[in-house]
Amino acid sequence: MALGTAGPLNGSRGAGPGSCFGAFNSSASLNETRPRAIASPWFSTAFGLIGLCSNLIALCVLLSSSRQLSSRARSSFLVFLCGLVVTDFMGLLVTASVIIPYHFIKFDWAEVDAGCHLCNFLGFSMVFFGQCPLLLGATMAGERFVGINRPFSRSSSVSKRRAWAIVGAVWAFCCLLGLLPVLGLGRYTLQFPGSWCFLTLLPDTGNVVFCLLFALLGVCSVLLSFVFNTVSVVTLCRVYHDRESVQRRRDSEVEMMVQLVGIMIIATICWMPLLIFIIQTVLQQLRAPERLLMLPTETQKLLLIYIRMVTWNQILDPWVYILFRRAVLRRVYPSLRARPSIVSLYPALNPALRRKLTQE
């Protein structure tokens, strides 16, 4: 998503009611942001490069791991992880390709993008690459919930192809969500300090509906991840304390849950402040006696701070997989031993079915 730092907007001509300009006071931001060192082009450049390199490293590790696995459950989980890493990488690449050149060129948005096509593209990218990781996290949590708590009901045909189909469905849904402002529901506008575009927190019907849809969908994704992961962790704790287990020992379920919990914690810390802020801001403006035509300066600054927090989600996600793998954990904690298989919770299963689940 947006790297969130840039110099002042050079102009706001053409800021009509249906335009992507005019959501903030560009002349005020000119005086406030120019002396700030954080507006340096090198800040966002370094920030973007760290994120891109992190995701590239994680992608290489994922591809190497997927070639060595025969477990169907683990393979499908790696497909979801790969989809998450690819999404984060492309999100940083696309947004940085617009924001970083702005740092060096300081182009006039109103002149370069009078038709708001670039702003709409950047706003779409922010929504698409922002919502995708949240939905993928909820999808991964749901898949592990079924795999851990209902192993006997899992379809044996869950394969890499089906996992990629689910990832593609998430991408398609987020693409449709990001296109709603282009189709007429709400609009994308240039945001403080003039380097990025996002949904508009102004109190008109289209913007309110789209803002609430975006924020509530994100909140629901985080909450679903929390519920699914909590139940799965409790189930795994039962496996840990099952002393009568006779199944072969393995801890791949634990490894996947550790990674999922890490992804969930990062998403919660990085995203919930922004999502709650959007909901509060929109609802407060609806109750206000007068409708605002421009976002207050304090609201603009808070939105920028929360967007910067969100960007860390794309940088930290790949390191969850890089660092929390069994190969790495065993080097840090050599006494780590394998744990009982999840199928030990179901001693009454048919022996043939138990062998099948154990092989997966």
Side-chain angles (χ1 to χ4, degrees):
M1 291 185 68
L3 303 180
T5 55
L9 181 67
N10 296 328
S12 59
R13 294 181 294 278
S19 170
C20 57
F21 306 109
F24 74 95
N25 191 336
S26 60
S27 61
S29 67
L30 178 67
N31 297 326
E32 293 180 6
T33 60
R34 176 168 290 171
R36 294 184 181 180
I38 201 170
S40 166
W42 305 112
F43 180 88
S44 289
T45 302
F47 198 69
L49 287 176
I50 291 173
L52 292 173
C53 291
S54 298
N55 282 279
L56 277 178
I57 294 172
L59 187 59
C60 292
V61 175
L62 277 169
L63 293 176
S64 175
S65 299
S66 63
R67 296 192 187 101
Q68 303 171 4
L69 285 178
S70 58
S71 168
R72 181 180 288 108
R74 182 63 179 165
S75 296
S76 62
F77 183 79
L78 288 183
V79 168
F80 289 120
L81 268 179
C82 187
L84 178 64
V85 170
V86 169
T87 301
D88 287 338
F89 175 81
M90 292 303 299
L92 287 169
L93 182 64
V94 170
T95 54
S97 65
V98 177
I99 294 171
I100 291 179
Y102 176 84
H103 280 288
F104 292 95
I105 302 174
K106 294 296 190 298
F107 56 81
D108 188 327
W109 275 88
E111 289 183 356
V112 172
D113 189 31
C116 292
H117 302 300
L118 181 60
C119 186
N120 286 333
F121 171 74
L122 188 56
F124 165 82
S125 301
M126 297 281 291
V127 170
F128 175 81
F129 292 112
Q131 197 67 240
C132 272
L134 298 180
L135 290 179
L136 285 173
T139 302
M140 294 163 66
E143 188 271 343
R144 281 290 81 213
F145 170 83
V146 175
I148 290 175
N149 294 275
R150 299 289 186 271
F152 48 84
S153 66
R154 285 188 82 206
S155 171
S156 60
S157 62
V158 175
S159 60
K160 288 185 177 181
R161 179 176 298 181
R162 175 169 291 189
W164 276 118
I166 295 174
V167 172
V170 172
W171 286 342
F173 177 82
C174 292
C175 181
L176 179 62
L177 178 69
L179 288 175
L180 289 181
V182 180
L183 298 176
L185 182 64
R187 63 190 175 106
Y188 295 122
T189 51
L190 198 64
Q191 305 291 333
F192 174 85
S195 61
W196 58 292
C197 292
F198 197 45
L199 44 84
T200 307
L201 305 182
L202 291 176
D204 58 80
T205 304
N207 288 324
V208 169
V209 172
F210 183 64
C211 288
L212 291 178
L213 178 62
F214 175 84
L216 291 176
L217 184 61
V219 170
C220 289
S221 298
V222 174
L223 292 179
L224 278 176
S225 297
F226 177 79
V227 172
F228 286 144
N229 289 333
T230 300
V231 176
S232 298
V233 168
V234 170
T235 303
L236 285 178
C237 288
R238 290 175 57 194
V239 175
Y240 263 50
H241 294 89
D242 184 8
R243 297 182 179 180
E244 298 180 357
S245 172
V246 296
Q247 293 296 318
R248 70 180 180 88
R249 292 176 172 266
R250 66 180 185 185
D251 51 11
S252 61
E253 295 101 343
V254 177
E255 178 189 14
M256 288 186 280
M257 283 311 307
V258 168
Q259 293 168 355
L260 263 183
V261 170
I263 291 171
M264 180 192 68
I265 292 174
I266 291 173
T268 302
I269 295 174
C270 294
W271 269 101
M272 288 302 283
L274 173 65
L275 298 175
I276 294 174
F277 173 75
I278 291 174
I279 295 173
Q280 288 180 335
T281 301
V282 170
L283 294 181
Q284 286 174 359
Q285 291 186 3
L286 281 178
R287 294 194 297 264
E290 297 182 0
R291 289 197 170 186
L292 298 176
L293 299 177
M294 184 178 296
L295 289 176
T297 303
E298 190 63 28
T299 301
Q300 300 167 20
K301 293 179 179 179
L302 286 174
L303 181 60
L304 178 62
I305 292 173
Y306 292 138
I307 283 292
R308 287 172 178 166
M309 290 178 60
V310 165
T311 309
W312 278 101
N313 185 77
Q314 295 170 306
I315 296 176
L316 296 177
D317 268 349
W319 289 104
V320 171
Y321 178 72
I322 294 172
L323 298 178
F324 293 96
R325 292 178 295 126
R326 279 175 290 174
V328 176
L329 293 177
R330 283 170 179 167
R331 292 181 181 179
V332 177
Y333 187 46
S335 61
L336 183 66
R337 294 189 300 271
R339 301 295 178 177
S341 170
I342 191 65
V343 297
S344 64
L345 283 179
Y346 307 93
L349 288 179
N350 182 291
L353 180 57
R354 289 169 65 85
R355 283 196 301 271
K356 184 179 183 181
L357 293 173
T358 303
Q359 290 172 359
E360 293 182 357

